[in-house]
Amino acid sequence: MTTMTRSNDTTKILVINALFIALTFVATMFINVRLPIVGNGGLIHLGNIPLFLAAFLFGKKTGAIAGGIGMAMFDLVSGWTLWAPFTLIIVASMGWVSGLIAEKLECNAVLKYSIAVVCACVIKIVGYYFAEVILYHNFIVPLGSIPGNIIQVLLAGIIVIPFAPRLAAAVKKMGF
């Protein structure tokens, strides 16, 4: 591989990561509903859609980078600053694991992506539960966020899973 090819590949990766960070940020920032329930209320947003697309189409690193940075940036600019470090770790883990499953699991695409979404949902529920335990010093209050987290991730899965196999084939045809 020549230096020029490596440079082009690096540029492609950088552009794809930046694009999905931006898409995740925008989908989290502008397409959301605050829930008037326990604790901080919670938030249902569509930022998990670009996270899953990044992970399923471009792999675990892009999924982790796009999800973690995109959603942590949302926290930083929207008044949820205290949540940013937790979001970075939790959502990056969701992107990494769902991308890893998409890369490694050998089975029907819909089944593979469904398993990835369920695993990401578990990571989100457990991660944010313990983040809230740390922030609120309470084991009961964080239970109020679980329904919103489930809805958020499963809604993204319902939207992404039907299209992901075709999009993955198109991305592969383009040489990514």
Side-chain angles (χ1 to χ4, degrees), residues 97-119:
V97 169
S98 59
L100 180 66
I101 291 168
E103 289 173 12
K104 301 290 183 185
L105 194 60
E106 297 292 330
C107 65
N108 172 287
V110 172
L111 178 60
K112 169 173 48 178
Y113 296 143
S114 298
I115 291 168
V117 167
V118 169
C119 289

Side-chain angles (χ1 to χ4, degrees), residues 43-49 51-52 71 91 94 98 114 116-125 128 146-161:
L43 186 72
I44 293 179
H45 58 76
L46 297 184
N48 292 298
I49 293 171
L51 176 152
F52 287 135
M71 287 191 206
V91 181
M94 290 170 58
S98 59
S114 298
V117 167
V118 169
C119 289
C121 190
V122 170
I123 291 167
K124 182 168 220 128
I125 290 167
Y128 279 111
I146 293 174
N149 288 335
I150 292 170
I151 291 168
Q152 193 180 115
V153 174
L154 293 184
L155 178 63
I158 289 168
I159 293 168
V160 170
I161 290 170

